Every structure is written in C-alpha cells, then in structure tokens.
Amino acid sequence: MADEDNLDVSAEDGKKGGKKKLIIILVAVLILLGGGGAAAYLFLFSGDEPLPEESAVDDTAAQAVQTEGPAIYLELDQPFVVDFMVSGRQRYLQLKMTLKSRDQVQIDAVKIHMPLIRNSLVLLFSSQSFDELQTLEGKKALKQAALESVNNILTQETGVGGMQDVLFTNFVMQ
C-alpha cells in the first residue's frame, strides 16, 4: 500500500510539472511567434528605400540616355504600306524604316513595345498628304514626326525616349 501511495504522489507531481511545462512551452511558442511575426513585418514592409537625395541621383542616372558609343540600328522588319485617295485615284506609300540609338536598353524597349509603335506610325503615315510627301521638305517633316512619335511612346512606357534618328531605308510612292 505504501508503494501505491508513492505512485500516486509522483503522479500528482507529474501532473503539476506537466501543467508548468505546458505553460512554459505555450509562452515560449507565443514569444517565438511574436518575434517571427515582427521580423516578417520588418522584412516585408521596411524595404530598402534609399534616401530622397540618393533616389533623385539614381533616377537621373537611370533616365540618362546613352549618347556616346557606337550607333545601334534596329530595322523594322515589315514595311509600312499606306493608301491615299488623290483626285479619285488610289495611291500607295510603301516605307521601310530603321531606328538609330546608342542605348541598347532603348533598342530592347522598342522591340518590346513594337505593336504600339507600329500602330502609332501607321496612324501618322496615313494622316499625311500624298502631295506633301512628294517634296523633300514633306519627307523630312515626316521623318521628324516619326522620331517624335517613337520617342513619345518610349517616354510613356519607359520614362525615357532614346531614339536619335529615324532612317527611311525604302520610300516608294505610287
């Protein structure tokens, strides 16, 4: 009987110790979860935001278009074909273009945004007067307008317009 009493006493001590252990484990888990949550919050929401002065310098450097170095040419693969009605006759303009830049990043941006650029150029070409395009001044004005159109799209999409020139490699009017 004495042995049974000893067993009961140790069983009660085990239960008290078990409750203490359970409370200690729960507190430790809560502390770990709280610390992990705080670390996750700081990691996810603090970010590596540079100081305003550093940000302005980085933005200016990122927006600077490379103007030195070798010229890089990007030929627009498909020719532009536009039709005009002139004095009751249908006339056509076929035009192939090449873009010139010194910044590979901008050449890559043109490739990415090619559908938007082609759309803008088709609208530009079709809005021209057939008679004006027959003059040298009309062709130069179209060249300048095409350059501005491409650079406007690049500025809208990338923040920087980096094309230096538009070259007409084929210009057929019929």
Side-chain angles (χ1 to χ4, degrees), residues 116-136:
L116 188 59
I117 291 170
R118 285 191 66 86
N119 178 61
S120 178
L121 291 173
V122 165
L123 294 175
L124 173 68
F125 298 152
S126 63
S127 69
Q128 302 298 308
S129 166
F130 188 82
D131 294 329
E132 288 179 18
L133 291 178
Q134 290 179 326
T135 66
L136 181 60

Side-chain angles (χ1 to χ4, degrees), residues 83-122:
D83 63 325
F84 299 95
M85 284 302 270
V86 179
S87 302
R89 295 185 61 195
Q90 193 160 8
R91 301 290 186 138
Y92 294 96
L93 166 66
Q94 181 181 2
L95 178 66
K96 282 197 72 147
M97 288 178 47
T98 298
L99 301 175
K100 175 186 171 187
S101 179
R102 297 188 187 277
D103 189 357
Q104 184 63 46
V105 173
Q106 291 303 312
I107 293 291
D108 294 339
V110 168
K111 291 176 184 176
I112 291 170
H113 301 292
M114 186 61 72
L116 188 59
I117 291 170
R118 285 191 66 86
N119 178 61
S120 178
L121 291 173
V122 165

Side-chain angles (χ1 to χ4, degrees), residues 1-8:
M1 237 195 208
D3 291 332
E4 291 178 13
D5 288 339
N6 285 341
L7 291 175
D8 290 337

